[in-house]
Amino acid sequence: MKRWIGVVLAAVLAGVAVVAVVLGNRGPEAPEPSVVRGVIGSEKKPFFDDPAVRAAFARHGLRVEVDTAGSRQIATDVDLGRYAFAFPSSAPAAEKIKRDRGATTTFSPFYSPMAVATFEPITKLLAKAGLLNNSGKGPQLLDIRKYLELTAKGTRWDQIPGNDVYRARKRVLLTTTDIRTSNSAAMYLAALGYVANGENVITSDAQIARIAPVLTPVVLDQGFSETTSEASFDDYLALGAGKTPMLVVYEAQYLSHVFARDGAIRPDMRLVYPSPTVLSKHTLVPLSAPGARVGELLTGDPELRSLAAAHGFRTADPRAFADRAAAAGAPVADLVDVVEPPVYERLDKLITTIDASRP
């Protein structure tokens, strides 16, 4: 009996030794990534959802989780106490958040000019109407001054001479998101306001009172507007020119699909640039130390910068974006005719003045 007990004990000890060796070879378990939560403009969600982006953050010990909202909503309505960072799509909105929350710094890891997603038959009509010009380097430019002159006349698509491709009876109007909630619409309005204000940035309430009647029908006569840029761009991709002949977008929304070669951008789709345009400077406001770490990584980590370029954003490394555009054969603007948006309070005043005319 004693001999059998000894055999059993030996077997147990051998098993313990094997387990110890295996565990020793595995080494210590990698720590769980720290969860950092932020609220972002909806156009950046595909970037944050990208498995490669998630993996890049994980290598730095972070799991970044995001909620989306219109960028203007982030600055005014969202309970930011729940988040480590706010990441709207414009510098004016970020500056308001910074002031309101007492933040000491911001990060601007990437930017995107405002552009217009449209279709080849529409570009031909716009050229016939004198609104669309070739920049000489590939991308076509939409003359905002001539556009405002056309909209002031209430011109409809079927009134454009020689139109035999898009005989819609609705007015020639760019489609935007809701100016009350979305930054893309606000940036578009900033470009219109600059031109309507004699090619000057809006700086006073008197200027707003003078130009608001010019801009109100251009904004409100569109009818229903989506609250986020991602929703409106999905409509453009899925429903075509019948629903949205011309949509104000972030350049990155369009180019991210071109760079990915995922088939979402069909051969008849085109990207043109307003002249002048406005840069949407995606600006992260850290609300805690972990939020600041996200901003640091987005700004300084080469892998995350490269991934941002893959999603169509322009970064501090212009070559990363230019190389992807060249590889995809995508003509992109050199961004010469760019104007600054008004400060947040002036732009907000213009929006509320226009909105007050809503039926």
Side-chain angles (χ1 to χ4, degrees), residues 21-330:
V21 170
V22 171
L23 290 177
N25 289 339
R26 284 175 59 186
E29 291 289 338
E32 282 291 317
S34 299
V35 176
V36 185
R37 300 196 69 229
V39 58
I40 64 171
S42 65
E43 71 291 329
K44 290 185 285 292
K45 194 169 190 304
F47 170 77
F48 280 97
D49 285 347
D50 186 339
V53 172
R54 290 179 176 272
F57 277 122
R59 281 188 279 276
H60 293 279
L62 300 180
R63 186 168 82 239
V64 180
E65 298 180 352
V66 295
D67 294 328
T68 61
S71 291
R72 285 179 49 77
Q73 285 179 306
I74 297 174
T76 55
D77 299 333
V78 172
D79 177 12
L80 296 180
R82 303 165 48 206
Y83 299 104
F85 66 90
F87 200 179
S89 305
S90 75
E95 188 61 30
K96 174 175 170 52
I97 295 168
K98 180 184 176 184
R99 289 198 312 265
D100 291 350
R101 301 291 299 188
T104 58
T105 188
T106 60
F107 299 89
S108 298
F110 41 73
Y111 64 95
S112 187
M114 302 313 302
V116 177
T118 183
F119 300 85
E120 183 178 18
I122 301 299
T123 62
K124 291 180 178 179
L125 286 178
L126 295 174
K128 284 183 178 180
L131 272 65
L132 200 64
N133 302 307
N134 195 298
S135 68
K137 295 184 180 180
Q140 294 177 297
L141 305 179
L142 179 67
D143 189 318
I144 292 297
R145 181 180 60 80
K146 292 181 179 178
Y147 169 71
L148 287 176
E149 291 172 357
L150 190 74
T151 57
K153 300 173 185 175
T155 304
R156 300 179 184 276
W157 286 105
D158 61 356
Q159 294 174 330
I160 296 176
N163 177 2
D164 57 1
V165 293
Y166 188 73
R167 298 192 57 79
R169 288 181 288 179
K170 58 187 177 183
R171 288 181 56 188
V172 179
L173 289 172
L174 287 159
T175 298
T176 72
T177 46
D178 193 323
I179 58 168
R180 296 169 294 185
T181 59
S182 175
N183 177 70
S184 60
M187 291 298 97
Y188 162 71
L189 186 60
L192 295 186
Y194 178 89
V195 174
N197 194 40
E199 301 196 345
N200 290 291
V201 176
I202 300 166
T203 58
S204 71
D205 287 355
Q207 292 170 343
I208 291 171
R210 180 171 54 81
I211 67 174
V214 176
L215 302 182
T216 294
V218 180
V219 174
L220 298 188
D221 288 0
Q222 297 175 48
F224 172 77
S225 297
E226 294 284 356
T227 58
T228 66
S229 56
E230 196 66 15
S232 61
F233 190 63
D234 286 345
D235 277 354
Y236 166 79
L237 293 177
L239 303 178
K243 168 72 163 57
T244 311
M246 302 185 296
L247 175 67
V248 176
V249 298
Y250 298 105
E251 176 194 59
Q253 288 179 285
Y254 190 99
L255 291 183
S256 63
H257 292 288
V258 174
F259 293 172
R261 295 180 171 89
D262 59 10
I265 302 301
R266 301 190 298 276
D268 67 328
M269 291 177 169
R270 295 290 182 271
L271 186 71
V272 303
Y273 293 84
S275 181
T277 190
V278 175
L279 293 184
S280 176
K281 195 174 180 181
H282 297 265
T283 305
L284 186 148
V285 184
L287 307 174
S288 67
R293 180 61 175 152
V294 172
E296 291 167 357
L297 290 172
L298 287 172
T299 304
D301 183 74
E303 182 181 11
L304 284 167
R305 284 206 307 264
S306 177
L307 289 168
H311 280 266
F313 294 108
R314 302 184 187 225
T315 71
D317 178 11
R319 177 173 289 277
F321 177 85
D323 287 349
R324 290 187 182 275

